[in-house]
Amino acid sequence: MAASVAGLLKPWTPSVFLVRWSRYNPYYLEPEVRREAYSRSEAELSAEEQEERKLKELRPIKAATCSATSSVFDDPVISKFIRMIMTEGNKVLAREIVTQTLENIKRKQVEKYHKSPPGKKEEIECNPYTIFHTALENCKPVVGLASIQKGGKFYQVPIPLTDNRRRFLAMKWMITECRENKHRRTHMYEKLSQELLAAFEKEGNVIKKKHELHKMAEANRAYAHYRWW
Amino acid sequence: MALHRLTLRLRPTVTHVRSVHTSRYGRQQEAAAVDPEPEPISVFRTQENDPACQSEKQIGQFYTLPSEHIRLLFPHGLPKRYQQQVKTFNEACVMVRQPALEVISYMKKADYSQPALRYLFYGVTGSGKTMSLCHAVHFCYTQGWVVLHIPDAHLWVKNCKELLPSSYNSSRFDQPLQATAWLRNFKITNERFLSKIKIKHRYVWTKRESTEGGRPLGELVDQGISRVKSSSDVVAAVMKELRQQSGHPEGNFRLAVAVDGVNALWGKSTIKKEDKSAVDPEELTLVYNLRKLLKNDWIGGAIITTLSQTGSLYTSKSAYLPQELLGERGFDSMDPFIPLSVPNYSEKEFESCYLYYTDRNWLQHSQSGTEEGKKELIFLSNRNPTMFDRLCSFL
């Protein structure tokens, strides 16, 4: 259906340009943000890639998002986390919070590193990005629960989760935990850094929540055959 | 500088070899090889921790401030982010830069029987003016001068919680809280001079309290700290005594006046009187007396100041030149002064700062060690010290 629509509208150029969040005509191609793709010369490309390049010269291309960068420091997981923290479209504030969190984690760890005796220095992890990723990994649940109706009653059935769903749940729990269950007068970056460092050590409320979910799934193992997909 | 490094490396080996120089050739070789390598000599650090001995060879290198000096000399003088950095890295390193070295060299050669010279650091936001001021103040402290350091003059013209009409002159206003806080820090910095300097005049505080001439300065300062109501007048008295006695043979001390954000004294203030009209900075006792101190009619010292746009009121963000920030009145009062431009990091200084952060385990991102990452940092920060620091803090 999309192909036929594309075929009908082939020679058309819009007089008014479409904005990113409304639905683009499938005729439009995705933008290429990575720097490496443009540094390659003609000879290095294979036949398909040369065809693609020719196509890009003729077809219109979607506008890239404001947050798309070709920076070497770009991290998609951190970007996703910033978007999840954002409320009312205030991305500047969300980014400030996350960068302050990373700075706070790094400060605490580097201070510990410089104060510890030489034997203990290798054990201390100072990189805030590895701490963030490891903490998030530790918070990701392995199985989730779905509410399935059978014979008039609803049963909590353990189901496998996709990677995206697991990552979403881990981030959501982290943010809700910091927003609701911490002391009112502490800054968000302070709360987040404490929770992330605890999750890195496999302690803290978010890890507890993950374990409770796993226990529920284990308890309801008997209903696993209610799942039909 | 290569020769300097070479001599450092040779120094321990030379002393060792001297004692065995009469032995056979083979033994000599062994001794030289067994001698443990001294601490790896870093390009960005210097062992010259005394500001008086630093020269152009050390430009771009970091020297360490002893922790005793920080506790005594800078109870309130260092920028907030720098204090956090000192706490994190467990050491306080300051980069030796050209403007600070220039001021120090002028102060070494100045004639202290002439009126005090005024130095003014200016530059774009975040280029390192306050740190240059702190470097110059450290030099004055190590030379045994009396240091009168006002960390931020903007704090005296905004957010005033208590404003009392002055007891000495009814048209002026007192700020007891700011004055007591400053006196406490002054006492910590200049502990050693408080008993040596004697005051000349008699000051009457109330019907029953007065301080006679000939009493040590420490008593005057204690009077100000304990009796909060008269603390602003005590500050004025302290300034007057120090100004009159510095440089003279019986005083036997030199006075260094360091003011950060000097453009606040001639700008506007956000403090309001009870009838909601704005207070001119001239009507505040602290500011009035500080302006008297900044006039070059006293001898035996130096006045080092900095402009600051960050805390200033009703000034445009892009303004950084002395004419723009001081205004007409300020410029006429400060004239003549020695202006010192504080630029962003040069390539060598940036390299040095980058290596220092890497050494202290501060640049943790996997990409920050690569050439691409470094180029990106230079581009994003434009070699501005504050921007570079803020970028590196989360990378």
Side-chain angles (χ1 to χ4, degrees):
Chain A
M1 167 55 189
S4 62
V5 168
L8 280 171
L9 296 171
K10 219 167 171 175
W12 164 70
T13 38
S15 52
V16 177
F17 287 103
L18 296 167
V19 180
R20 184 72 192 181
W21 41 256
S22 53
R23 202 183 59 174
Y24 271 106
N25 189 323
Y27 190 58
Y28 281 67
L29 303 172
E30 292 289 332
E32 177 63 66
V33 197
R34 295 169 307 148
R35 208 187 298 171
E36 298 84 40
Y38 292 107
S39 52
R40 296 164 73 189
S41 63
E42 283 293 318
E44 291 168 16
L45 303 176
S46 60
E48 300 103 15
E49 281 170 326
Q50 285 194 351
E51 283 237 13
E52 256 190 67
R53 249 204 201 178
K54 281 215 188 76
L55 196 63
K56 283 201 173 174
E57 282 168 34
L58 302 169
R59 282 227 193 152
I61 304 187
K62 294 184 197 177
T65 42
C66 306
S67 50
T69 41
S70 54
S71 155
V72 292
F73 301 118
D74 185 37
D75 191 344
V77 184
I78 298 270
S79 309
K80 185 60 116 182
F81 194 65
I82 294 175
R83 260 174 270 142
M84 285 193 67
I85 286 193
M86 171 169 67
T87 49
E88 289 154 16
N90 197 348
K91 191 130 186 215
V92 175
L93 185 61
R95 204 177 61 188
E96 270 298 308
I97 293 174
V98 173
T99 47
Q100 278 169 347
T101 311
L102 293 168
E103 187 189 331
N104 208 321
I105 296 175
K106 192 163 47 148
R107 247 182 231 286
K108 288 183 189 165
Q109 294 297 96
V110 170
E111 204 179 324
K112 234 198 291 183
Y113 178 90
H114 285 304
K115 294 214 167 99
S116 64
K120 298 280 169 93
K121 284 199 181 193
E122 283 86 38
E123 297 164 359
I124 300 177
E125 175 62 59
C126 291
N127 191 339
Y129 292 86
T130 44
I131 293 180
F132 180 81
H133 289 133
T134 332
L136 212 63
E137 277 300 319
N138 293 346
C139 292
K140 283 187 186 171
V142 176
V143 290
L145 291 172
S147 194
I148 293 181
Q149 191 187 21
K150 189 113 177 165
K153 271 172 63 174
F154 286 89
Y155 297 95
Q156 292 294 319
V157 176
I159 54 161
L161 297 170
T162 60
D163 258 338
N164 276 346
R165 179 76 187 156
R166 294 170 65 210
R167 188 183 63 176
F168 170 79
L169 281 175
M171 289 188 186
K172 190 78 183 172
W173 290 341
M174 181 69 73
I175 297 170
T176 5
E177 159 71 34
C178 290
R179 277 184 187 155
E180 287 162 20
N181 294 352
K182 300 272 188 200
H183 183 60
R184 183 181 66 90
R185 293 273 291 183
T186 25
H187 291 285
M188 185 66 180
Y189 65 83
E190 182 61 46
K191 296 187 247 197
L192 265 175
S193 59
Q194 283 170 3
E195 200 54 48
L196 281 168
L197 281 168
F200 180 69
E201 308 287 332
K202 299 216 174 112
E203 301 155 350
N205 286 348
V206 191
I207 302 284
K208 214 166 72 165
K209 189 157 182 182
K210 176 188 89 158
H211 287 323
E212 274 168 19
L213 182 65
H214 284 180
K215 273 185 223 157
M216 280 285 284
E218 184 63 34
N220 287 2
R221 251 177 76 165
Y223 301 122
H225 65 282
Y226 284 173
R227 180 174 64 94
W228 65 83
W229 65 87
Chain B
M1 199 169 100
L3 192 61
H4 173 69
R5 264 192 284 167
L6 190 63
T7 49
L8 268 179
R9 198 176 273 146
L10 280 181
R11 228 181 276 148
T13 49
V14 160
T15 48
H16 198 92
V17 164
R18 205 181 285 144
S19 59
V20 292
H21 75 281
T22 48
S23 65
R24 275 173 299 155
Y25 183 71
R27 275 212 7 225
Q28 213 178 44
Q29 284 283 337
E30 231 177 71
V34 155
D35 194 288
E37 179 73 26
E39 263 186 38
I41 295 158
S42 28
V43 185
F44 56 89
R45 270 192 216 269
T46 172
Q47 306 299 322
E48 203 60 76
N49 286 343
D50 184 16
C53 310
Q54 283 161 359
S55 64
E56 281 84 32
K57 282 189 281 188
Q58 277 102 21
I59 284 189
Q61 293 187 319
F62 283 86
Y63 82 96
T64 325
L65 282 170
S67 49
E68 257 315 292
H69 282 194
I70 300 180
R71 197 179 57 85
L72 292 175
L73 176 56
F74 295 122
H76 56 174
L78 296 169
K80 267 274 172 55
R81 273 195 84 85
Y82 185 73
Q83 281 173 358
Q84 284 179 330
Q85 188 185 294
V86 168
K87 189 162 162 267
T88 312
F89 292 170
N90 218 16
E91 64 173 12
C93 281
V94 176
M95 192 194 271
V96 174
R97 292 184 78 191
Q98 195 271 334
L101 275 184
E102 210 179 310
V103 165
I104 291 174
S105 72
Y106 292 161
M107 285 203 283
K108 280 192 216 166
K109 294 183 203 151
D111 183 3
Y112 289 106
S113 55
Q114 301 287 331
L117 284 168
R118 288 184 282 215
Y119 309 97
L120 183 74
F121 287 114
Y122 71 96
V124 289
T125 322
S127 60
K129 306 181 281 286
T130 311
M131 287 312 291
S132 301
L133 184 80
C134 294
H135 190 171
V137 165
H138 186 226
F139 166 76
C140 297
Y141 185 77
T142 47
Q143 298 293 302
W145 297 23
V146 174
V147 166
L148 207 102
H149 186 37
I150 288 112
D152 194 358
H154 293 294
L155 296 175
W156 287 359
V157 298
K158 52 182 178 175
N159 302 337
C160 183
K161 295 215 171 57
E162 261 188 51
L163 198 69
L164 303 171
S166 164
S167 45
Y168 183 71
N169 186 333
S170 54
S171 64
R172 292 206 278 261
F173 294 96
D174 266 357
Q175 286 156 298
L177 298 172
Q178 276 93 334
T180 22
W182 185 80
L183 277 172
R184 256 184 234 122
N185 292 323
F186 177 75
K187 188 174 166 181
I188 296 172
T189 312
N190 297 303
E191 199 73 59
R192 46 196 178 157
F193 290 103
L194 291 180
S195 43
K196 285 194 229 159
I197 304 174
K198 306 273 184 260
I199 56 178
K200 292 275 168 59
H201 308 267
R202 181 168 177 263
Y203 297 100
V204 179
W205 308 117
T206 56
K207 265 187 275 189
R208 268 165 271 183
E209 282 177 27
S210 67
T211 318
E212 307 296 326
R215 308 295 301 158
L217 194 68
E219 233 184 73
L220 198 61
V221 176
D222 288 326
Q223 162 78 28
I225 296 176
S226 47
R227 297 272 178 273
V228 177
K229 265 217 158 105
S230 53
S231 50
S232 312
D233 294 322
V234 167
V235 170
V238 162
M239 286 183 183
K240 185 163 130 190
E241 290 294 328
L242 288 172
R243 197 172 77 226
Q244 286 175 346
Q245 286 191 30
S246 75
H248 295 285
E250 71 269 11
N252 201 25
F253 66 89
R254 286 193 190 150
L255 181 62
V257 179
V259 187
D260 200 332
V262 77
N263 46 322
L265 305 179
W266 291 282
K268 299 190 195 153
S269 87
T270 44
I271 310 177
K272 301 266 193 299
K273 291 186 251 203
E274 270 149 13
D275 55 355
K276 307 275 179 76
S277 60
V279 169
D280 195 40
E282 206 157 49
E283 294 171 22
L284 298 164
T285 11
L286 290 172
V287 172
Y288 182 76
N289 290 294
L290 190 55
R291 278 201 210 177
K292 279 203 281 188
L293 194 60
L294 290 181
K295 265 199 284 204
N296 55 351
D297 50 5
W298 51 278
I299 64 169
I303 305 173
I304 321 160
T305 57
T306 316
L307 289 178
S308 167
Q309 194 284 322
T310 344
S312 69
L313 300 158
Y314 307 111
T315 48
S316 132
K317 235 185 186 174
S318 55
Y320 72 96
L321 295 168
Q323 188 87 34
E324 295 162 348
L325 284 176
L326 286 172
E328 257 200 66
R329 285 189 305 165
F331 199 88
D332 291 333
S333 323
M334 283 292 282
D335 211 14
F337 61 87
I338 301 173
L340 295 138
S341 154
V342 182
N344 287 336
Y345 282 152
S346 67
E347 281 168 19
K348 185 170 157 212
E349 288 171 339
F350 183 87
E351 251 327 293
S352 176
C353 193
Y354 180 82
L355 288 171
Y356 175 64
Y357 283 152
T358 322
D359 171 67
R360 292 274 95 195
N361 268 22
W362 193 233
L363 286 174
Q364 286 285 334
H365 200 279
S366 47
Q367 290 289 327
S368 56
T370 60
E371 269 305 310
E372 288 287 325
K374 200 162 147 194
K375 271 193 247 177
E376 197 168 317
L377 285 172
I378 296 178
F379 173 73
L380 287 172
S381 64
N382 196 21
R383 292 211 186 88
N384 183 284
T386 320
M387 288 319 298
F388 183 53
D389 172 54
R390 277 177 192 270
L391 274 177
C392 293
S393 57
F394 62 85
L395 282 178

